[in-house]
Amino acid sequence: MYLKVTDKQLLKMIKQLIDMPFLKIQKINYSDDIIRIYASIKSCRSKCPLCGRYSKRVHDYYFRTITDLPVFQNRTEILLRTRKFRCGNPRCSQKVFSEQTPDIIRYSRRTKRATRILETFAIELTGRLGSILSEQLHITVSSSTITRIAYGQQLPNISQPRVLGVDDWAYRKGVSYGTILIDMETSKPIELLPSRDGQVLKDWLLKYNDVKIVTRDRASSYAAAINAVCPNAVQIADRFHLLMNLSDALDAYFKSISRRIRSLITAKTNELLELPEKEPLNISEKATEDQPVLTAQELIEAKVDQRMDTFLKVKELQEKGTPIKRIATDLKMSRNTVKSYFNQESLSPRKYSNSTNIEVFTDLIVARLNENGYKLIGIFREIKELGYTGGRTQGCYHIKRIKEHHEIETLGCKEIARPKIPYIKPLSSRKLAKYIGFRLKDITDHHERFYLQTLLDNITELKVVRKLVQIFKAMLARGCGNIRRWIDFVIRSKRKLAGLKTFARGLLRDISAVENGINMRWSNGAVEGHVNRIKSIKRQMYGRASFELLRKKVILSRSG
């Protein structure tokens, strides 16, 4: 079906829909779920791409098939009649060239607007997912093309940041790392560096050395690079990293006093074990009322009833003359079982093997069953040594039958209350480092709360450490405080305070950035968020893509 463009109103409507003012539309064809638009370029001349001179001398023409955005879920193709022109400049080496239009990229098979959608897919999605969605939008491309489109995109020019966020990210955790740079005022990534070496950051800062504020972690390599290139920049130590460094210091401290803690807990074990347990919900009685418990005999009868239903069904089909093979197939039974049912007038009882000598040991089994704390496996092993000829499963079955027959109701081993073993699992040094700054009422587990209370009551040094931790956290929370006095107290303390003194000396070496981290509002929160986003992008890429592709996905992404 062809639609010739003759009516001015229709032509105007089509032009508005297509929105390509440089094209002249001849006709529109619809077949095989494809809309084909036959068009040509309006201009009567074209500019040489090499020398820039315009030419009107047409040499030849050809058709370009260009994919455009779909119309009502139909694939749309523009068949563009493209002319070749001769260049009139005798000095130009380009003798023949093809005319171009701003709506279509040179050498491309797609319009610019279709390409923009694929560029978004290439950055935000994997190659495979991008290919699947492009098929849904009827701009079908392969996963390899999606990846090539991502590689082909240009990174934006970097404008001089005023507040810069710096942190490292892992290619492979514990093995190799890179550096991410964030414009903190826009919270957008501006660069990804292939290493966390200070020299790489230094080389980048030489190009953009008008940075006023830098937020960073406690890495000395970053601090040295910033001091070398931007000595006047205000450096801010991130509060989260300060808390992490404190946690590591406390972990080292609790490891240094672990022997004292173990000896104290050993002495206080009986006291700790006397803590009341939380009362569990008693639902056994309710379950017993709602759901009756079946005895062993009732379970056996239920199995017999199940066989009886099958037997009656077989006899019913036998009376109808149904073949044995058909019955076995429909009822999913063995043919031999069906044959045996055919030959029986009533269902014969199940046959159990009585080839063991269990009756020889009946008196011994009854005696053992009457003892509290028996184990079936223990009785079986004893009669096995005395000459029992059956297997383990068969023996335990017969022992249970003997118990039911003699109506023995003694408690089993698991049912007998046993005294608690005097042992308390100690809290790890990492968990103690976490809890030492908590209020006791904020520790939900009552055993852990009592454990920490016992340590605080018996190791006086822990009260000092706890107070130091609370003061440090309060300074970070309030955004003010005298960190120099805190450091001086820890260093001058007569107590060993292993780990904490090392932490305090490290703060003193970076005291200016630490003070800024406490007193200023900037932090590395946005940077840490982008580091987590890099992890997600890496998982999408399955670790197979290059650094350059990862760099473009991080910087060009609109979701960041």
Side-chain angles (χ1 to χ4, degrees), residues 169-222:
W169 56 273
Y171 288 103
R172 184 179 175 191
K173 191 172 182 180
V175 178
S176 56
Y177 290 84
T179 300
I180 185 171
L181 305 177
I182 305 293
D183 186 343
M184 298 301 292
E185 291 183 309
T186 61
S187 296
K188 296 290 183 181
I190 55 178
E191 188 57 284
L192 227 62
L193 303 179
S195 170
R196 66 173 176 181
D197 184 13
Q199 185 60 42
V200 177
L201 177 61
K202 187 176 179 180
D203 294 340
W204 189 89
L205 286 172
L206 287 171
K207 302 176 186 177
Y208 308 95
N209 55 8
D210 196 20
V211 177
K212 305 300 182 185
I213 301 173
V214 181
T215 67
R216 57 171 174 82
D217 60 10
R218 301 288 314 291
S220 57
S221 59
Y222 290 156

Side-chain angles (χ1 to χ4, degrees), residues 20 64-69 75-76 78 103-119 134 138-142 145-146 148-149:
M20 290 186 181
R64 291 176 65 184
T65 303
I66 300 163
T67 302
D68 196 11
L69 296 179
R75 179 182 173 88
T76 304
I78 299 175
D103 299 311
I104 301 168
I105 303 172
R106 193 179 187 90
Y107 305 118
S108 176
R109 297 181 182 180
R110 293 176 295 275
T111 58
K112 283 187 177 180
R113 55 195 179 193
T115 301
R116 281 195 295 269
I117 292 177
L118 295 179
E119 287 175 349
S134 71
H138 301 283
I139 321 172
T140 307
V141 292
S142 67
T145 301
I146 291 288
R148 283 196 297 271
I149 291 173

Side-chain angles (χ1 to χ4, degrees), residues 51-64:
C51 67
R53 178 179 290 188
Y54 283 92
S55 173
K56 292 183 178 181
R57 297 170 57 190
V58 178
H59 170 69
D60 197 0
Y61 70 90
Y62 65 97
F63 282 93
R64 291 176 65 184

Side-chain angles (χ1 to χ4, degrees), residues 448-462:
E448 293 179 347
R449 183 169 59 249
F450 191 81
Y451 187 99
L452 182 60
Q453 182 66 63
T454 303
L455 297 184
L456 291 172
D457 292 342
N458 294 275
I459 303 177
T460 55
E461 184 179 293
L462 284 184

Side-chain angles (χ1 to χ4, degrees), residues 137-380:
L137 289 178
H138 301 283
I139 321 172
T140 307
V141 292
S142 67
S143 57
S144 299
T145 301
I146 291 288
T147 305
R148 283 196 297 271
I149 291 173
Y151 271 114
Q153 295 189 53
Q154 298 297 319
L155 292 173
N157 295 326
I158 300 175
S159 58
Q160 174 65 55
R162 192 181 72 88
V163 184
L164 182 68
V166 183
D167 203 357
D168 57 5
W169 56 273
Y171 288 103
R172 184 179 175 191
K173 191 172 182 180
V175 178
S176 56
Y177 290 84
T179 300
I180 185 171
L181 305 177
I182 305 293
D183 186 343
M184 298 301 292
E185 291 183 309
T186 61
S187 296
K188 296 290 183 181
I190 55 178
E191 188 57 284
L192 227 62
L193 303 179
S195 170
R196 66 173 176 181
D197 184 13
Q199 185 60 42
V200 177
L201 177 61
K202 187 176 179 180
D203 294 340
W204 189 89
L205 286 172
L206 287 171
K207 302 176 186 177
Y208 308 95
N209 55 8
D210 196 20
V211 177
K212 305 300 182 185
I213 301 173
V214 181
T215 67
R216 57 171 174 82
D217 60 10
R218 301 288 314 291
S220 57
S221 59
Y222 290 156
I226 297 166
N227 286 328
V229 182
C230 306
N232 297 324
V234 176
Q235 298 187 45
I236 300 175
D238 181 49
R239 292 187 286 275
F240 168 75
H241 287 91
L242 289 173
L243 287 174
M244 291 297 295
N245 296 150
L246 175 62
S247 178
D248 293 337
L250 290 170
D251 182 45
Y253 169 73
F254 281 110
K255 285 178 179 177
S256 69
I257 63 168
S258 58
R259 289 187 179 180
R260 290 172 62 187
I261 293 175
R262 279 200 300 269
S263 59
L264 172 64
I265 295 303
T266 301
K268 296 285 184 178
T269 293
N270 292 329
E271 182 180 345
L272 290 171
L273 284 172
E274 290 175 0
L275 284 176
E277 297 286 347
K278 290 185 178 181
E279 291 293 331
L281 294 175
N282 188 6
I283 60 172
S284 57
E285 295 179 2
K286 184 178 179 181
T288 304
E289 294 175 1
D290 296 344
Q291 298 176 353
V293 179
L294 297 176
T295 63
Q297 184 62 32
E298 288 172 331
L299 289 173
I300 294 173
E301 291 175 357
K303 291 181 181 178
V304 172
D305 290 341
Q306 187 177 1
R307 288 177 62 233
M308 181 61 73
D309 292 339
T310 306
F311 175 78
L312 295 175
K313 185 67 177 177
V314 171
K315 299 304 286 184
E316 180 184 348
L317 294 173
Q318 182 183 7
E319 293 177 358
K320 295 180 180 179
T322 307
I324 292 177
K325 184 177 180 180
R326 177 67 179 277
I327 297 174
T329 303
D330 291 346
L331 301 182
K332 297 180 181 180
M333 299 172 59
S334 167
R335 295 184 193 178
N336 291 333
T337 305
V338 177
K339 287 180 183 178
S340 67
Y341 285 178
F342 269 34
N343 297 329
Q344 297 176 27
E345 294 297 332
S346 60
L347 182 62
S348 58
R350 287 184 182 273
K351 295 181 180 180
Y352 296 96
S353 175
N354 294 318
S355 58
T356 64
N357 57 346
I358 191 69
E359 64 279 354
V360 177
F361 307 100
T362 302
D363 294 338
L364 175 63
I365 292 171
V366 171
R368 293 291 180 265
L369 289 174
N370 284 319
E371 296 177 3
N372 287 335
Y374 75 90
K375 290 184 179 179
L376 288 182
I377 188 62
I379 299 175
F380 168 74

